[in-house]
Amino acid sequence: MSILVIAEHDNASLKAATLNTVAAAAKINASLTSEIHVLVAGATCSAVASQAAAVAGVAKVLVADAAHYADQTAENLAALIHAYASGYTHVLAPATSNGKNTLPRVAALLDVAQISDIISVLDADTFVRPIYAGNALATVKSADPVKVITVRTTGFDPVAATGGQATIEAMSAGPDLGLSKLLGRELSKSARPELAAAKIIVSGGRGMGSGENYHTVLEPLADKLGAAMGASRAAVDAGFVPNDYQVGQTGKIVAPQLYIAIGISGAIQHLAGMKESKVIVAINKDPDAPIFQVADYGLVADLFQAVPELVAAL
Amino acid sequence: MKILVPVKRVIDYNIKVRVKADNTGVDLANVKMAMNPFDEIAVEEALRIKEAGIATEVVAVSCGVTACQETLRTAMALGADRGILVETDVELQPLAVAKLLKTIATNEAPQLIILGKQAIDDDANQTGQMLAALLGWPQATFASKVVVDAAAGKVAVTREVDGGLETLELTLPAIVTTDLRLNEPRYATLPNIMKAKKKPLDVVKPETLGVDVTPRLTTLKVNEPSPRAAGIKVADVAELIHKLKNEAKVIS
């Protein structure tokens, strides 16, 4: 019996979230001494399979290569994972939008519970996960024969992307269920680091006032710091930036080395997405804003003066 | 066509939760409860599809304690035509709820089931996907736009995903789960709150539906997260940069 990790990828490259998930699998394996396998389901995804085979700690990479896995639709993926899950004690995926979409479907097909968003592994059956927007941490134990788990990537330091020498095994693909089809994608194009994996994040809130201000004020700072850019829900709802910028309970969960919250008041839903950051800086003109309660360094100031000053001084 | 909307009674989203002293859970005694915010969005979307003349009936379903009737009355005050409560005092986990909803869906035969993407109490984000799996239906989670083409038997759903947006076309019947920006839910008016009291509300038991709702996960304990150490206020930008370079050492 082994542990199966579902690879996060875009058919061309393996995404960093997979490395955090393998790290969680390795923690589980500490008390089991079984093997960690990675499933790459995609279309013409052999490059991904080679990258997965190089990941430290992976013993085997299973590849299901078929056109109907190209778009990662949940119906086809879940059926495939379900078909191969019986040989595994644990099935893990990162808690990305793909993982969250597909894995509960797998769990239901297996008639087992899913354990969502784990941040810590206590033993092979016991895990810690945040509830109530991270205001409480639940320790849960599963009695199911297969543990289906999504992994909050910020809870586990990634394993090395290289150094592994896993075997690659082609698997037969499942049928195309034909239940859903992709009509199109509008993906944000950015030369900046990916929000979920960035070391520094510059994040703006309602206080930015407009989308134009968001870009003219924050981009120079992000450029100087080589930072990713994020936003609070208020800024996304107001249309300043697209949805994929959102940090929070229901957006992206991040834990960079440095998180700079600018014009963000700090609703608990936002704090849930960033309070594990190593260092938090808040710039806000309201001295009573709740963001200051989690900030290591708070600056009460008008952001339209402070941020350009900061850019000039860096 | 009929739309089914499952709704969950949860702690009001404005309330700061407190962990019980004995670490068995979160203190819910005398705390304001409300409909899960994502479920309000689901109810709103169903009502809009009905008001557009595409759906004929919106049925709200809740699973849980007797007090979930209030949540169903809220859904009906917003405009749902009737309610179904699957009543139990057992702690319900997502798989159990999905199984209960499957039996309701089999009886009611809706073309569309719209759920909130996650509940703000357990933050599980599972029930819609599990229900889709049990029914063998297609799913579109994290929806920001829903366009039903009933004549063609299809629904096009735009989803909020990590990299931006994607649009899927599903064959009906289908499952949709809502994200924040799908719509802005309406408020219930007083006359509609009064009218909702007269709308039909059926109560059934899990045993009647033949569903075993025994929890699969045991919660061993619930803790407060360790608080962040108190930070400081800096006087100006120069001090901020000095601290980041020399104390926190996160920039060079």
Side-chain angles (χ1 to χ4, degrees):
Chain A
M1 299 292 272
S2 307
I3 300 172
L4 184 65
V5 171
I6 313 301
E8 176 90 10
H9 67 91
D10 59 4
N11 297 312
S13 63
L14 186 73
K15 299 293 174 194
T18 310
L19 304 177
N20 306 84
T21 309
V22 170
K27 285 253 168 74
I28 293 168
N29 200 26
S31 60
L32 296 179
T33 62
S34 53
E35 286 185 352
I36 298 173
H37 298 174
V38 172
L39 171 66
V40 177
T44 51
C45 54
S46 57
V48 179
S50 312
Q51 289 166 35
V55 171
V58 176
K60 195 195 279 183
V61 175
L62 308 169
V63 187
D65 198 322
H68 57 276
Y69 299 132
D71 303 322
Q72 305 285 306
T73 49
E75 299 83 1
N76 286 334
L77 272 190
L80 176 76
I81 299 165
H82 173 227
Y84 287 100
S86 57
Y88 293 92
T89 54
H90 298 74
V91 177
L92 282 73
T96 53
S97 52
N98 272 337
K100 291 192 277 195
N101 189 39
T102 303
L103 228 55
R105 208 170 163 114
V106 174
L109 293 173
L110 291 166
D111 192 27
V112 300
Q114 174 176 294
I115 308 145
S116 296
D117 260 317
I118 64 161
I119 55 168
S120 171
V121 172
L122 299 187
D123 60 43
D125 308 317
T126 316
F127 310 93
V128 180
R129 58 177 303 267
I131 53 176
Y132 292 92
N135 287 301
L137 301 176
T139 303
V140 297
K141 190 177 173 72
S142 167
D144 283 321
V146 185
K147 278 73 172 165
V148 174
I149 296 167
T150 60
V151 175
R152 181 169 287 193
T153 51
T154 56
F156 300 88
D157 291 331
V159 297
T162 54
Q165 283 182 317
T167 55
I168 298 179
E169 196 174 299
M171 304 162 69
S172 51
D176 181 2
L177 300 173
L179 290 168
S180 66
K181 119 177 148 197
L182 180 72
L183 296 181
R185 283 192 176 132
E186 295 168 53
L187 301 183
S188 297
K189 288 188 183 68
S190 170
R192 297 183 193 287
E194 202 186 326
L195 192 51
K199 290 204 162 49
I200 302 179
I201 294 174
V202 171
S203 201
R206 196 197 308 269
M208 301 311 303
S210 71
E212 198 189 332
N213 288 347
Y214 178 95
H215 291 290
T216 54
V217 176
L218 297 189
E219 274 174 5
L221 180 59
D223 288 343
K224 275 259 165 121
L225 295 170
M229 296 185 74
S232 69
R233 178 189 170 186
V236 178
D237 282 359
F240 300 174
V241 287
N243 63 281
D244 51 295
Y245 281 55
Q246 187 178 323
V247 171
Q249 179 185 15
T250 67
K252 293 202 171 72
I253 311 286
V254 299
Q257 294 290 305
L258 174 61
Y259 187 91
I260 308 181
I262 300 171
I264 291 177
S265 63
I268 53 171
Q269 290 82 6
H270 185 74
L271 302 185
M274 47 64 83
K275 67 182 177 186
E276 301 303 320
S277 304
K278 183 162 173 272
V279 174
I280 297 173
V281 170
I283 301 176
N284 201 303
K285 66 180 175 193
D286 174 9
D288 299 322
I291 190 77
F292 288 121
Q293 291 165 19
V294 300
D296 300 283
Y297 303 109
L299 175 61
V300 181
D302 180 353
L303 70 93
F304 295 104
Q305 285 173 7
V307 176
E309 216 181 301
L310 187 57
V311 174
L314 280 169
Chain B
M1 69 180 235
K2 190 192 283 187
I3 303 178
L4 203 65
V5 185
V7 293
K8 185 175 185 183
R9 179 179 182 265
V10 298
I11 192 166
D12 185 274
Y13 80 102
N14 285 310
I15 309 270
K16 171 103 172 73
V17 299
R18 251 187 280 275
V19 171
K20 285 189 202 168
D22 63 0
N23 294 108
T24 56
V26 162
D27 195 356
L28 294 177
N30 304 316
V31 166
K32 187 182 175 205
M33 304 294 280
M35 187 189 296
N36 180 42
F38 289 97
D39 303 350
E40 289 183 342
I41 296 171
V43 172
E44 177 65 34
E45 195 63 19
L47 296 175
R48 289 186 189 187
I49 295 169
K50 187 184 168 191
E51 285 159 2
I54 299 165
T56 48
E57 191 184 27
V58 174
V59 182
V61 191
S62 194
C63 303
V65 296
T66 312
C68 295
Q69 289 198 17
E70 293 162 19
T71 315
L72 288 169
R73 292 290 172 202
T74 303
M76 290 188 276
L78 292 168
D81 297 289
R82 58 191 170 90
I84 301 169
L85 171 62
V86 183
E87 191 182 64
T88 174
D89 290 331
V90 176
E91 177 215 333
L92 292 176
Q93 293 178 350
L95 182 63
V97 174
K99 287 179 177 180
L100 293 171
L101 293 175
K102 182 198 173 189
T103 63
I104 302 279
T106 307
N107 295 337
E108 294 282 340
Q111 284 293 293
L112 196 57
I113 305 179
I114 310 180
L115 308 87
K117 77 164 180 179
Q118 77 191 62
I120 60 164
D121 51 2
D122 62 13
D123 282 331
N125 194 335
Q126 299 175 6
T127 306
Q129 297 90 312
M130 287 182 155
L131 177 58
L134 297 177
L135 288 166
W137 291 7
Q139 69 183 52
T141 51
F142 325 145
S144 65
K145 188 178 175 196
V146 176
V147 181
V148 180
D149 184 344
K154 305 275 187 193
V155 59
V157 182
T158 303
R159 310 175 54 227
E160 295 196 353
V161 295
D162 286 341
L165 298 171
E166 74 171 30
T167 304
L168 295 179
E169 183 184 76
L170 313 181
T171 306
L172 297 174
I175 302 277
V176 171
T177 78
T178 63
D179 216 318
L180 292 169
R181 280 163 286 273
L182 178 58
N183 59 50
E184 186 97 17
R186 69 194 68 187
Y187 292 98
T189 60
L190 190 58
N192 285 342
I193 292 170
M194 301 309 290
K195 260 190 253 171
K197 293 184 178 166
K198 298 203 179 76
K199 289 185 178 176
L201 195 166
D202 291 330
V203 180
V204 292
K205 300 277 185 190
E207 307 83 72
T208 320
L209 299 173
V211 176
D212 176 6
V213 294
T214 313
R216 301 294 188 85
L217 299 178
T218 314
T219 299
L220 301 180
K221 62 177 178 184
V222 174
N223 292 94
E224 298 256 7
S226 45
R228 285 186 78 91
I232 58 160
K233 290 256 172 71
V234 293
D236 51 29
V237 167
E239 188 188 353
L240 176 61
I241 291 175
H242 180 80
K243 293 279 187 194
L244 290 177
K245 282 186 175 167
N246 302 306
E247 194 174 90
K249 298 188 169 73
V250 285
I251 60 173
S252 48

